[in-house]
Amino acid sequence: MPRPDPDQLLSQLQHAEQRAQRGRLKIFFGACAGVGKTYAMLQAAQQQQRLGVKVLVGVLETHGRADTEQGLLGLPVLAAQQRQHHDKLLAEFDLDAALARRPDLILVDELAHSNLHGSRHPKRWQDVEELLSQGIDVYTSLNVQHLESLNDIVGQVTGIQVKETLPDHVFDQADDVVLVDLPVDELLWRLQVGKVYPPEQARRAQQSFFRKGNLIALRELALRRTADRVDAQMQDYRQTSSIVPLWKTQERLLVLLGYPDAGRAVDAEVLIRHAARLAQQLKAEWRVILLDTPRQQRLADHARRVWLQPLSFAQSLGAVTDLLSSTAAVASVVDYIQRHNISRIIVPTDALQRPVFWSRFSRSLMAALEQDCTALDVIAVNASLSKNTAITQHSNTQTSGGSASSQMPVASPRAGLTQWHAAYWSEDRQGYFWAVFGCTLVTVLLAGLTHWFDLANVVMLYLLVVMWVSARFGRGAGTLAAVLSVLSFDFFFVEPKLSLTVSDAQYLLTFAVMFGVALWVNHLAANLRFQAKVAQQREQRAQQLTELSQQLAGVLTATQVEQIAQDQIGAWVGGAVWIARLDLQDQLELSRPPATVPTTVYDPALAMWAYQHEQPAGQGTDTLPNSPMRYYPLRAPMRTRGVLAFVPSAELHSPDVARLLDSMLSQVALAFERVHFIEVAQQALIKIEGERLRSTLLSALSHDLRTPITVLNSLAQGLARADLSETEHAEMVQSMIMHSQTMQHLVMNLLDMAKLQAGGLNLNQQWIVIDEVVGHVLRSFAKPLAQHQVEVRIDADFPLVYLDELLLARILSNLLENAAKYTPAGSTIIITAKQLDAQQFELHVCDNGAGIPEGMQEQIFQRFARGHSETTQTGLGLGLALCREMMRVQGGGLRAEANQPHGACFILNWSQPMPPAPPVDMA
Amino acid sequence: MTSDAILLIEDEPHIRKFLKNALQADGYQVFEADSVARGLIEAASRVPQLCLLDLGLPDEDGMGFIQELRSWSAMPILVLSARDRESDKVNALNIGADDYLTKPFGIEELLARVRAQLRRSQPKSSGSRVEFGDVDIDLAKRMVRKAGQDVHLTKIEYRLLSVLLEHADQIMTHVQLLNAVWGPNHQEHEHYVRIYMANLRQKLEDQPTQPRYLLTEIGMGYRLCLGGVIGA
């Protein structure tokens, strides 16, 4: 018995979990209006309410039907939002109010409905998605003719194009589909007695849509579609319960679009729908590619956008889309098929039958596919079947990406993306000028030299001009040059001169060949140009991406990431870029408005939406497509890090540009995440250091503080005795003062240590004068060091040092205290400052006492360590450890060495940046 | 001569008693207060010549007292503070305190500071001439001599020295010196003060690394000690 694949099981489980958090979608599905979907839905809702579920009727049209109105009784109804639309007041579903009411279950009729212009989402099913994502269950109704993939079939059967459509994935991913079925005769009877529409309307309906034949066909479609769904469910179930192990082929579909005319985009839609249906049946991944030819590159901005529309349409149906730029179309298609392991290709019939479009190339597409892709199924679809304008229009409202932005006023040409369009035109005009100028120049030059030149050479020179113009300025100018060359050659050089007539018929062949060669050269040169341009564009994009990642690689703070993202992406989209990041309270904060004065207004609510839903919002998306800007969430592996917004340009609809933008955005998001984790790591490091110090402190506290307290206590008790002599008394008082001073010193050290470990120490590194600190410390040690020789060797022009002067003073105090304690009276203490190189500095505190025992140079920096174990001195155990910590927090170190010939040297070392410029002072 | 009156604001009774005894033994008249509110009343009613102020008081921060008192009196304020309030001390000096002592302090040190402050607050004796150690400054002629030799000071060095002379025996913070010498737009250039102080010490002190007069108060600023420190 084979066991189910664990990965698959896991993904199923995750899927089930995700569904549990989402609301459940139940669709009441019927063949057409009047079968009783709304009624069935209300009945189900009534039942839920009786069970104690909080039900809300979001939007529902009763059409004046008595049954339906009866069903509404007792259910709370959400007030519709009144919206001004072309001086008419229209009611629309109020999504925000529905979300605010937070019902358990909401009824939203007519899933395929298109919202009024200016709503948050263009389509009602998108509202429903949002309700579901907030965990609200939804009941809704749907007629079969509204299903996107069946749309054209319904159109063929009934002759009526339905404009409101629903993507199939919404239907397929619904949790429950309830088929509301009614025999056709019964439906017709209901219609006749006026249960569906008022009598007058009913009569009209019966003559057009509600013909018996139509109704039977629609019913069959609805039944079959539901059956397909049940079938798929059964397969899923089998897979989960592993009743029968299923071997699934990995099918990959490809739709090939290569139509240059925008007006014929309708063909593409039929192909795409067909592919979507097929892909769904086969459970196959499917791709749509559009051939980008030199001619397409030359299209004006808006024309190109229309031309790119089928791709966004395909994307909305779930396809992966690509733009293939190449002059050798056939070869690149074959290459694409092989690279992506395509198993079936869908092409329009005319692509195979008429070799018109492919005629420029050496072999036809079909021949190439037969030769190179033997395992490939080719499916030819007659795309001219449903050539009518209704679908074209329909496609404009459907394709969310392309069409919504085409309603927007076309933004002014932007730098970077659209630059070359503008350049193209000016270059074009220049090209025509050069074509004329070149031909004239050759004519004038050669006219006087006909005696020396053979006519064959004249032809050569003309061809040279044609070649140069074609290579430099492209096809149009090249063609002009070719025509002009032949004409001038005829007119000025061929007998009879200054006439277009030709005496010798032989020259006709010369003209023909000359013209042919000119055109061919022109074609080759223009193709070269195109390829160069495509390569250049690709190179440019790759370079932009590399540049961005290189710049982001070395960045350490979020502000730097913002700066770079704004500069790079801003230069790329040719406009201002807004970046909003999460602040410490997890609020989305616009941390960086663009540097240039913006012409559009940033909308925080929309940015928040994009962030929360992890989806692009704003212009050209499904959410508030009429807002001027588009908002992209910055998704990183762990979480979304913020939102980036700008005014998008037309080129963004091209898949490769969109993909580049995606890569750029994820680079930025990754950089934000990396920076975030750097901060987290630093904090963790600081915490660990703090813990380490805390343990040092506690052990020191218990040990070193007890000693002086014990001494003080016994001395005080001793003083209480009456039988003390005068000298004994004085000695004891002196001893008490000394010990209390020792204790004070220890407490100071402890406090410093406590501050260090609590992170409460505000490191205050500044540019200070080192001998000033040394002088201060020596002044406070004047008494303890009265018996010692102290020598300070610091040059008057020693550079400023970058240290915390309080910490430095504490370190020096500790070192001098040790020196006073551990060296005999009369010893010499030398303090020397040294500059090793531009950034490395040292301060030596050396004595000529007994020195540190060999091998103890490191140990003395451990807590409680003392150079001589049997000493009665206290306090050193903490002091040196503390000094070393104090140097470490300033990025330096402290070590001990033996002094020559004897004694100890304590060496502070640190590195620092270049000192600031000294003040200017006129003497 | 009537004895000088000192207002002692301190909430810890042991320290207050000990300080009072010491000050009275030195011949001062002492008024006590244990809170900012009480202290302000005493300061207004008794009009002492000097105020000893502990920063950590029960009802309000001592800083409030300084601000309030400075709005109507110029009497010297000597701040007593525990060592863990370094930034408080600088702030206290910046808003008008004249000197500070860190707890625990020696009583001799305290009495010396009290004497210095009282001397400073007495009307200045005649003069355009000031002396400390072997340095002799003629304010009228802007001449500085050390051990009878003319010392050349740059304009800024002289200005810095004159500000310190004006506030002799008083701690001047880096910020105060920057404001007085360079003006208010140089707050971030604290190292200017340090460099010029080093220059002044080079020119006026016998042992610049162990100065007797131009003293560094670590973490605070500088003090020109006209009497010279003992023992250095």
Side-chain angles (χ1 to χ4, degrees):
Chain A
M1 175 96 186
R3 287 169 46 175
D5 177 8
D7 285 340
Q8 216 162 6
L9 270 182
L10 185 66
S11 84
Q12 260 161 3
L13 270 174
Q14 282 168 344
H15 197 56
E17 213 168 292
Q18 213 175 3
R19 287 171 85 92
Q21 289 159 2
R22 269 173 67 91
R24 293 179 66 84
L25 175 64
K26 192 174 204 167
I27 297 179
F28 291 81
F29 185 55
C32 66
V35 293
K37 296 179 304 293
T38 310
Y39 181 72
M41 183 165 80
L42 283 170
Q43 291 301 315
Q46 291 280 9
Q47 199 177 355
Q48 289 293 320
Q49 194 174 35
R50 277 196 293 278
L51 290 174
V53 175
K54 201 171 137 198
V55 179
L56 177 69
V57 179
V59 59
L60 196 134
E61 185 57 62
T62 60
H63 297 290
R65 296 169 199 167
D67 295 351
T68 317
E69 272 166 15
Q70 189 76 30
L72 256 179
L73 284 179
L75 292 175
V77 180
L78 185 74
Q81 191 181 15
Q82 297 297 324
R83 294 267 299 274
Q84 194 74 30
H85 187 68
H86 298 302
D87 59 76
K88 261 190 290 182
L89 210 57
L90 293 177
E92 186 61 273
F93 172 53
D94 193 344
L95 177 60
D96 286 318
L99 285 170
R101 293 267 289 258
R102 287 213 66 84
D104 299 327
L105 170 67
I106 188 165
L107 270 59
V108 182
D109 209 8
E110 298 289 347
L111 187 56
H113 173 80
S114 294
N115 287 337
L116 286 178
H117 187 75
S119 306
R120 183 182 318 169
H121 302 296
K123 295 283 180 177
R124 181 169 289 166
W125 65 265
Q126 290 162 336
D127 292 346
V128 167
E129 280 289 313
E130 192 158 347
L131 288 165
L132 291 171
S133 71
Q134 296 298 311
I136 300 171
D137 292 346
V138 180
Y139 281 5
T140 184
S141 65
L142 178 72
N143 286 328
V144 68
Q145 72 262 28
H146 293 299
L147 272 179
E148 178 66 57
S149 69
L150 296 177
N151 184 265
D152 49 347
I153 296 181
V154 173
Q156 285 163 33
V157 173
T158 61
I160 291 170
Q161 280 297 325
V162 179
K163 292 185 184 173
E164 297 189 322
T165 57
L166 177 79
D168 286 52
H169 66 85
V170 181
F171 180 78
D172 291 327
Q173 282 163 13
D175 297 271
D176 294 305
V177 171
V178 178
L179 178 71
V180 183
D181 189 36
L182 195 67
V184 173
D185 287 329
E186 208 168 312
L187 176 61
L188 284 172
W189 175 80
R190 276 172 59 103
L191 200 64
Q192 258 159 8
V193 299
K195 285 200 173 211
V196 181
Y197 296 121
E200 176 56 29
Q201 208 182 335
R203 218 177 354 268
R204 256 188 292 131
Q206 222 167 342
Q207 277 159 13
S208 54
F209 193 79
F210 284 79
R211 283 192 313 241
K212 190 163 180 176
N214 279 356
L215 294 179
I216 293 173
L218 286 174
R219 189 176 175 215
E220 192 199 341
L221 274 177
L223 287 169
R224 263 172 53 180
R225 191 67 179 80
T226 319
D228 281 352
R229 217 188 99 92
V230 174
D231 194 39
Q233 274 177 335
M234 187 62 201
Q235 283 189 19
D236 273 353
Y237 174 72
R238 276 185 173 171
Q239 223 170 334
T240 349
S241 356
S242 71
I243 294 171
V244 181
L246 287 177
W247 181 72
K248 233 170 84 183
T249 52
Q250 198 56 52
E251 286 273 7
R252 277 164 211 249
L253 254 65
L254 178 70
V255 180
L256 178 62
L257 304 174
Y259 288 88
D261 295 347
R264 285 166 67 185
V266 60
D267 294 1
E269 295 217 351
V270 172
L271 284 181
I272 289 168
R273 279 220 187 84
H274 188 94
R277 275 199 301 273
L278 194 60
Q280 189 221 335
Q281 278 165 18
L282 297 171
K283 296 212 159 182
E285 174 194 326
W286 62 297
R287 289 169 174 269
V288 176
I289 54 174
L290 187 58
L291 283 171
D292 200 7
T293 58
R295 191 162 165 197
Q296 299 309 328
Q297 294 262 333
R298 242 171 291 148
L299 284 178
D301 210 13
H302 69 277
R304 188 165 166 84
R305 189 153 45 180
V306 171
W307 178 74
L308 284 167
Q309 257 178 34
L311 285 189
S312 18
F313 174 58
Q315 247 168 3
S316 74
L317 289 180
V320 179
T321 57
D322 259 311
L323 201 61
L324 270 193
S325 312
S326 171
T327 47
V330 173
S332 54
V333 169
V334 168
D335 176 58
Y336 191 91
I337 288 172
Q338 286 169 343
R339 257 190 304 135
H340 292 90
N341 261 333
I342 303 295
S343 58
R344 298 183 192 212
I345 181 169
I346 298 177
V347 290
T349 39
D350 40 356
L352 299 172
Q353 286 162 356
R354 300 177 301 160
V356 181
F357 177 58
W358 316 105
S359 65
R360 293 189 202 130
F361 314 105
S362 53
R363 52 180 183 169
S364 77
L365 177 65
M366 196 62 200
L369 293 180
E370 266 171 11
Q371 249 173 22
D372 295 339
C373 315
T374 42
L376 185 77
D377 295 345
V378 178
I379 302 169
V381 173
N382 188 354
S384 55
L385 252 181
S386 44
K387 250 185 195 166
N388 65 45
T389 45
I391 293 188
T392 318
Q393 265 182 8
H394 154 79
S395 82
N396 274 341
T397 52
Q398 172 58 36
T399 58
S400 47
S403 64
S405 51
S406 68
Q407 288 159 9
M408 293 298 304
V410 178
S412 58
R414 285 185 195 81
L417 286 180
T418 52
Q419 208 171 35
W420 78 268
H421 281 297
Y424 193 90
W425 284 112
S426 66
E427 217 175 66
D428 230 22
R429 230 174 292 152
Q430 243 185 349
Y432 292 123
F433 165 75
W434 279 107
V436 175
F437 180 73
C439 289
T440 317
L441 190 72
V442 170
T443 311
V444 170
L445 272 181
L446 295 182
L449 302 170
T450 34
H451 298 298
W452 289 277
F453 281 102
D454 196 53
L455 279 186
N457 288 335
V458 174
V459 172
M460 290 294 179
L461 278 173
Y462 274 119
L463 283 180
L464 188 67
V465 171
V466 173
M467 176 131 179
W468 178 75
V469 171
S470 310
R472 182 76 182 73
F473 301 106
R475 208 181 293 266
T479 312
L480 179 67
V483 172
L484 281 179
S485 297
V486 173
L487 287 180
S488 344
F489 180 60
D490 180 6
F491 198 73
F492 294 106
F493 294 96
V494 175
E495 296 296 337
K497 290 184 181 173
L498 299 181
S499 147
L500 285 176
T501 49
V502 181
S503 55
D504 192 343
Q506 223 191 124
Y507 280 112
L508 287 179
L509 181 65
T510 313
F511 295 154
V513 172
M514 185 179 169
F515 193 60
V517 169
L519 281 187
W520 198 17
V521 162
N522 177 19
H523 170 70
L524 290 178
N527 274 357
L528 259 176
R529 239 172 83 76
F530 167 68
Q531 273 169 348
K533 192 176 286 169
V534 169
Q536 194 189 344
Q537 272 181 350
R538 237 178 239 163
E539 165 76 22
Q540 214 174 348
R541 283 169 192 163
Q543 204 183 342
Q544 279 162 339
L545 195 59
T546 324
E547 209 171 299
L548 181 70
S549 42
Q550 272 172 354
Q551 289 202 6
L552 287 176
V555 156
L556 287 176
T557 67
T559 331
Q560 285 171 305
V561 177
E562 279 169 359
Q563 175 76 49
I564 290 169
Q566 241 170 14
D567 291 353
Q568 292 280 321
I569 298 183
W572 188 66
V573 301
V577 169
W578 285 254
I579 294 178
R581 233 171 357 111
L582 290 192
D583 62 8
L584 292 174
Q585 282 77 43
D586 266 9
Q587 293 293 310
L588 202 58
E589 202 183 355
L590 186 64
S591 38
R592 236 190 133 75
T596 51
V597 180
T599 48
T600 44
V601 181
Y602 169 84
D603 179 357
L606 200 47
M608 198 62 198
W609 193 95
Y611 168 72
Q612 280 172 343
H613 292 76
E614 300 197 340
Q615 274 171 13
Q619 203 212 96
T621 66
D622 291 341
T623 307
L624 287 180
N626 298 315
S627 108
M629 283 203 284
R630 199 181 298 174
Y631 301 76
Y632 287 95
L634 293 169
R635 275 190 302 245
M638 299 304 286
R639 64 181 297 187
T640 305
R641 296 279 159 202
V643 173
L644 186 143
F646 56 85
V647 181
S649 59
E651 278 290 312
L652 273 181
H653 297 300
S654 158
D656 48 344
V657 176
R659 216 165 295 156
L660 177 67
L661 178 67
D662 271 352
S663 322
M664 282 180 144
L665 290 175
S666 39
Q667 290 274 3
V668 173
L670 268 178
F672 274 130
E673 185 146 295
R674 190 170 54 82
V675 166
H676 170 77
F677 282 122
I678 289 174
E679 275 166 28
V680 170
Q682 278 171 345
Q683 304 252 318
L685 207 64
I686 290 169
K687 255 194 192 143
I688 293 169
E689 287 296 308
E691 286 301 320
R692 222 164 55 77
L693 278 163
R694 191 199 305 268
S695 61
T696 311
L697 179 79
L698 280 176
S699 4
L701 197 69
S702 58
H703 178 274
D704 277 9
L705 209 51
R706 269 188 198 147
T707 320
I709 289 176
T710 315
V711 175
L712 279 176
N713 194 11
S714 48
L715 283 172
Q717 282 174 5
L719 278 180
R721 287 198 342 248
D723 56 343
L724 284 174
S725 71
E726 194 76 358
T727 37
E728 274 176 327
H729 190 274
E731 263 173 30
M732 284 172 101
V733 168
Q734 198 53 45
S735 182
M736 276 180 89
I737 290 172
M738 201 188 82
H739 274 97
S740 67
Q741 274 172 353
T742 310
M743 204 156 87
Q744 181 202 331
H745 195 77
L746 193 65
V747 167
M748 262 160 69
N749 278 355
L750 281 172
L751 280 175
D752 285 336
M753 194 63 114
K755 266 194 253 178
L756 269 172
Q757 64 91 41
L761 178 103
N762 294 327
L763 194 58
N764 182 22
Q765 270 172 301
Q766 290 200 353
W767 291 103
I768 56 170
V769 179
I770 196 164
D771 45 359
E772 190 166 86
V773 182
V774 172
H776 171 86
V777 176
L778 285 178
R779 176 151 61 90
S780 59
F781 271 88
K783 253 186 206 154
L785 287 177
Q787 305 298 313
H788 292 70
Q789 304 287 321
V790 181
E791 207 178 302
V792 180
R793 293 181 185 166
I794 301 173
D795 291 340
D797 57 352
F798 197 76
L800 293 179
V801 297
Y802 194 64
L803 291 173
D804 182 323
E805 60 178 349
L806 281 166
L807 289 190
L808 180 61
R810 299 283 300 113
I811 294 165
L812 285 175
S813 302
N814 269 304
L815 294 180
L816 286 177
E817 193 204 357
N818 282 344
K821 241 190 246 176
Y822 290 96
T823 57
S827 304
T828 311
I829 297 166
I830 303 172
I831 300 173
T832 323
K834 288 184 181 172
Q835 180 175 15
L836 302 184
D837 60 43
Q839 299 184 332
Q840 298 293 324
F841 290 80
E842 280 187 355
L843 186 67
H844 295 232
V845 180
C846 300
D847 62 60
N848 58 356
I852 306 158
E854 195 56 40
M856 291 287 283
Q857 271 101 343
E858 258 315 295
Q859 278 184 37
I860 49 168
F861 291 102
Q862 309 287 321
R863 43 198 159 153
F864 313 136
R866 291 186 179 84
H868 306 271
S869 49
E870 64 278 17
T871 182
T872 51
Q873 303 273 20
T874 60
L876 179 67
L878 191 59
L880 282 176
L882 178 69
C883 288
R884 183 173 263 192
E885 285 300 332
M886 284 174 162
M887 275 317 284
R888 209 182 44 75
V889 294
Q890 302 182 79
L894 171 64
R895 65 180 193 273
E897 283 176 7
N899 197 10
Q900 296 304 328
H902 54 88
C905 248
F906 289 91
I907 301 166
L908 285 67
N909 66 290
W910 69 97
S911 62
Q912 64 183 39
M914 296 303 289
V920 191
D921 182 16
M922 263 72 74
Chain B
M1 169 181 149
T2 55
S3 64
D4 288 318
I6 293 175
L7 172 60
L8 173 60
I9 310 175
E10 164 69 75
D11 60 327
E12 165 59 41
H14 293 289
I15 297 179
R16 203 165 63 223
K17 184 162 195 300
F18 159 74
L19 286 177
K20 186 182 175 184
N21 289 343
L23 289 167
Q24 279 175 340
D26 231 35
Y28 298 107
Q29 189 183 1
V30 180
F31 302 109
E32 297 172 68
D34 58 0
S35 65
V36 168
R38 189 77 218 147
L40 284 170
I41 293 170
E42 294 288 333
S45 55
R46 313 278 188 183
V47 197
Q49 274 72 45
L50 180 122
C51 174
L52 283 175
L53 172 72
D54 178 35
L55 282 184
L57 289 167
D59 58 339
E60 205 185 322
D61 197 84
M63 309 286 270
F65 177 86
I66 300 174
Q67 260 162 345
E68 180 74 34
L69 188 72
R70 272 290 167 264
S71 63
W72 50 267
S73 165
M75 82 171 75
I77 302 173
L78 210 166
V79 169
L80 307 173
S81 91
R83 208 188 145 269
D84 58 340
R85 309 183 70 163
E86 303 287 357
S87 56
D88 277 6
K89 282 186 282 191
V90 181
N91 288 342
L93 292 170
N94 276 338
I95 63 171
D98 298 86
D99 201 352
Y100 84 96
L101 265 179
T102 299
K103 290 179 183 174
F105 44 81
I107 193 66
E108 286 309 320
E109 176 78 12
L110 173 79
L111 292 173
R113 297 285 180 98
V114 166
R115 278 194 292 274
Q117 288 302 327
L118 287 173
R119 188 171 57 235
R120 199 176 65 76
S121 63
Q122 273 157 18
K124 294 258 159 54
S125 54
S126 64
S128 66
R129 288 177 77 91
V130 186
E131 280 179 37
F132 58 86
D134 56 358
V135 177
D136 174 11
I137 300 156
D138 190 330
L139 292 170
K141 291 185 189 164
R142 307 185 71 128
M143 292 276 284
V144 181
R145 293 164 76 86
K146 177 173 166 63
Q149 297 288 312
D150 276 346
V151 178
H152 173 72
L153 295 185
T154 67
K155 270 183 192 161
I156 288 181
E157 281 165 1
Y158 184 81
R159 214 182 305 160
L160 183 61
L161 181 63
S162 54
V163 171
L164 286 168
L165 280 171
E166 204 178 312
H167 300 274
D169 289 321
Q170 186 184 352
I171 296 183
M172 291 299 283
T173 66
H174 295 111
V175 173
Q176 285 171 331
L177 288 174
L178 267 174
N179 272 337
V181 179
W182 281 271
N185 295 327
H186 290 271
Q187 298 293 332
E188 72 277 22
H189 295 143
E190 225 170 86
H191 61 281
Y192 285 13
V193 182
R194 297 176 201 271
I195 292 172
Y196 278 94
M197 282 305 295
N199 291 352
L200 274 185
R201 271 198 294 259
Q202 287 294 334
K203 290 180 181 175
L204 303 181
E205 289 278 2
D206 291 336
Q207 276 183 291
T209 53
Q210 296 180 47
R212 290 174 52 112
Y213 306 99
L214 295 163
L215 304 181
T216 308
E217 299 288 342
I218 288 291
M220 314 267 121
Y222 298 93
R223 181 215 311 268
L224 175 60
C225 183
L226 288 179
V229 283
I230 331 107

